[in-house]
Amino acid sequence: MKGKVVVITGALGALGKVVAEEAHSRGARVAGIDHAAPQFAATAERIELGGVDLTDAVQAKKAVDAAAAHFGAIDALINIAGGFTFETIADGDPKAWQRMYALNAETALNATRAAIPHLLNSHAARIVNIGAMGALQAGSGMGPYAASKAGVHKLTESLAAELKGKITVNAVLPSIIDTAANRASMPKADPAKWVAPEELADVILFLASDAASAVTGALLPVNGRV
């Protein structure tokens, strides 16, 4: 990853922070985009663009263009921004479906459309999306979230075909990620069997690396320990 410019959406979240730190530790120049306020000032190696609503295509383009202008290029886009809700169809809020689509699928779409013109100038351009194992077979209460992540899966496949030979496009499909929020919401579960953010970061950054040049259109399950 040394010298590559990596743009990460949702970079201030539980997974985004780990991916950003690991990418930087491997020599990448990192631009983090998030709805939250930036946590440190821009440097030659890292920049955080905060207060960005990626469900708004205009804001997404402005942020991605600012990252490209800061570093002079973009080599990889990692779409981590998203959200989660657990609601049954009978008792849930119908608006949750639109909200999940906006947070998960639309943020990835907007960031990707903004990044493509910059990525086309890279000799080894990469897009990595975050799907979900739960979108392969949705359980009770997972309808809105799973439907939106299924949209991310199809976005990934369609883009991979559209951009074949120019930009690789892949997605990782984690099961449950070991975060503080998930531990709090599932206190009786065994987090040792979940996916550690560091493990998921390794897979994401492999797909963003030169070593993954022959991989595109993949929906890669990351199941954690069994």
Side-chain angles (χ1 to χ4, degrees):
M1 302 299 294
K2 187 171 178 60
K4 291 189 178 296
V5 177
V6 179
V7 175
I8 303 171
T9 71
L12 297 179
L15 176 60
K17 284 182 178 180
V18 173
V19 175
E21 288 295 334
E22 184 60 26
H24 184 254
S25 74
R26 298 183 188 190
R29 293 174 289 168
V30 179
I33 301 175
D34 205 287
H35 192 264
Q39 298 181 350
F40 57 80
T43 68
E45 301 301 319
R46 292 189 69 172
I47 184 174
E48 286 185 351
L49 300 160
V52 181
D53 179 2
L54 289 168
T55 67
D56 183 320
V58 174
Q59 291 191 41
K61 185 178 186 305
K62 183 178 179 181
V64 171
D65 287 350
H70 184 78
F71 292 117
I74 297 176
D75 298 298
L77 170 67
I78 301 173
N79 285 310
I80 298 177
F84 177 79
T85 190
F86 186 87
E87 300 184 12
T88 61
I89 294 169
D91 300 323
D93 181 356
K95 292 181 180 179
W97 293 76
Q98 286 79 21
R99 185 169 66 254
M100 285 294 97
Y101 175 81
L103 290 175
N104 292 316
E106 200 167 357
T107 55
L109 173 63
N110 289 340
T112 297
R113 292 186 68 189
I116 285 173
H118 303 291
L119 289 167
L120 288 172
N121 294 319
S122 172
H123 74 281
R126 309 280 185 261
I127 297 172
V128 184
N129 296 322
I130 308 299
M133 285 288 292
L136 299 180
Q137 184 172 359
S140 176
M142 295 289 287
Y145 174 76
S148 68
K149 285 298 189 179
V152 173
H153 297 180
K154 295 308 170 184
L155 170 66
T156 300
E157 292 173 339
S158 180
L159 274 171
E162 180 179 332
L163 300 171
K164 191 171 183 179
K166 301 174 182 177
I167 303 170
T168 68
V169 188
N170 297 288
V172 296
L173 281 55
S175 52
I176 302 173
I177 304 174
D178 186 4
T179 65
N182 283 337
R183 288 191 179 216
S185 66
M186 293 176 277
K188 295 183 180 180
D190 180 6
K193 295 182 178 180
W194 296 350
V195 180
E198 293 78 10
E199 293 173 320
L200 189 53
D202 283 339
V203 180
I204 290 169
L205 293 177
F206 165 72
L207 293 173
S209 73
D210 290 343
S213 61
V215 184
T216 195
L219 303 178
L220 185 61
V222 185
N223 294 318
R225 307 172 194 86
V226 294

